[in-house]
Amino acid sequence: MAKRNKKVRIIGNYGACCGTSLRKMVKKIDISQHAKDTCSFSGKTKMKRQAVGIWHRGSCMKMAACCAWTYNTNSAITVKSAIRRLEGLKDQ
């Protein structure tokens, strides 16, 4: 049988000149920025990245300005939960 090409997926654009560690970092960023995230408005997995920091959901026509490659980072989730907790204490 003939030899087949190796499936390198999204990092096939970057050859041996870049090095493996850089290609792995680029792969992680590319996968996260092209993945769909959960919509904070409706809870469905439909939020898609339009441009750097702009996230859009087509069916409910909601837009959000957030992080560049992911919809929510760990630090953003921590800050939002802290703000929610402090607002609850302020109301009491």
Side-chain angles (χ1 to χ4, degrees):
M1 289 188 64
K3 187 176 179 183
R4 294 177 179 249
N5 289 342
K6 187 177 181 181
K7 292 183 182 175
V8 291
R9 299 189 187 222
I10 206 156
I11 57 170
N13 303 342
Y14 309 101
C17 62
C18 294
T20 56
S21 60
L22 288 175
R23 277 186 282 153
K24 286 178 185 176
M25 285 176 20
V26 169
K27 177 184 177 183
K28 181 181 161 188
I29 290 170
D30 275 356
I31 288 172
S32 66
Q33 80 178 13
H34 290 110
K36 291 183 180 177
D37 274 304
T38 54
C39 179
S40 59
F41 305 105
S42 63
K44 295 183 180 178
T45 314
K46 297 284 185 176
M47 275 307 236
K48 190 139 176 71
R49 181 179 177 263
Q50 266 193 342
V52 178
I54 300 173
W55 293 82
H56 179 256
R57 177 154 185 247
S59 58
C60 67
M61 301 302 288
K62 297 284 186 179
M63 293 187 92
C66 227
C67 307
W69 297 311
T70 58
Y71 183 59
N72 278 327
T73 58
N74 292 336
S75 59
I77 292 170
T78 305
V79 168
K80 284 180 184 177
S81 64
I83 289 172
R84 191 178 307 121
R85 181 177 52 83
L86 291 173
E87 284 177 347
L89 290 175
K90 181 181 171 185
D91 292 338
Q92 292 176 357

